[in-house]
Amino acid sequence: MEKCCGHEREEIKKVVSKVMEFRKEQELNRRQPDDWGLATKQYSKKAGTLAERTILGVGAYRVVLELCQEHVLKVEPGGSYSTRWETKIWNSASEETRQKLCPIIDFEIRKNGSWVLMPKCKNIAQMTQAVLDKFEDMFSWFTDIHGDNIGKLDKRWVAIDYGYTDNPKKTNRELTMGLV
């Protein structure tokens, strides 16, 4: 396997631009913006790639693309909600908490087309309930805990998608108090 030498912002911007074009196509096909995640999931089952990259996952707001064997790019074409939360949590987290989060290498917050660059983790959806319970105990603000949002990085379990909270006030309070 060839070692990654990094990713220039120009490369990332081209990928983001292609994802944005895909989103516009979906809207032109009379799909509502809220249907984007479902449409992308259906598309990924057929094509498996977007912006010439392998689709690793699709959530309600973001698509995760493989940039190389070592990195993923999460693109949020319709806004910045999840990307804002994820970067805010990463930037506010204690060193102890950061050991339990997949690191953010780079990011850009935009009205549309926000993105996050992260190391690629091994996603093991069939983990034990004990691991899930451990994450629920560690992160009271992490409200979207399931196997797809936790992975292995350097032999440790980490949250790989921590950009959603159903209680922003509580999450903000915990960030402010240094509980994250």
Side-chain angles (χ1 to χ4, degrees), residues 90-125:
W90 174 255
N91 290 328
S92 301
S94 67
E95 194 55 43
E96 180 184 352
T97 298
R98 281 184 170 206
Q99 293 300 309
K100 299 169 186 101
L101 302 174
C102 185
I104 293 177
I105 298 168
D106 197 3
F107 68 94
E108 185 171 284
I109 305 290
R110 300 173 56 193
K111 182 178 177 184
N112 290 305
S114 296
W115 56 267
V116 175
L117 177 66
M118 292 179 149
K120 183 179 176 186
C121 296
K122 286 186 179 179
N123 187 288
I124 304 168

Side-chain angles (χ1 to χ4, degrees), residues 12-96:
I12 291 171
K13 286 180 181 181
K14 285 179 184 175
V15 172
V16 171
S17 176
K18 288 182 180 182
V19 172
M20 297 298 290
E21 288 172 18
F22 175 77
R23 180 180 169 84
K24 281 187 181 169
E25 287 174 23
Q26 298 305 307
E27 289 175 0
L28 290 174
N29 290 332
R30 301 190 184 278
R31 289 193 174 91
Q32 296 297 316
D34 291 346
D35 293 340
W36 185 82
L38 177 62
T40 307
K41 283 179 185 175
Q42 291 168 346
Y43 172 84
S44 74
K45 285 180 182 174
K46 286 185 216 166
T49 63
L50 179 60
E52 300 167 7
R53 308 293 179 172
T54 300
I55 299 170
L56 297 177
V58 179
Y61 304 109
R62 299 190 289 186
V63 62
V64 182
L65 304 170
E66 181 181 65
L67 281 182
C68 67
Q69 292 291 322
E70 297 176 37
H71 298 108
V72 300
L73 183 69
K74 297 180 183 180
V75 181
E76 187 171 5
S80 61
Y81 179 84
S82 296
T83 304
R84 280 184 195 279
W85 273 112
E86 202 160 62
T87 55
K88 184 174 187 174
I89 289 166
W90 174 255
N91 290 328
S92 301
S94 67
E95 194 55 43
E96 180 184 352

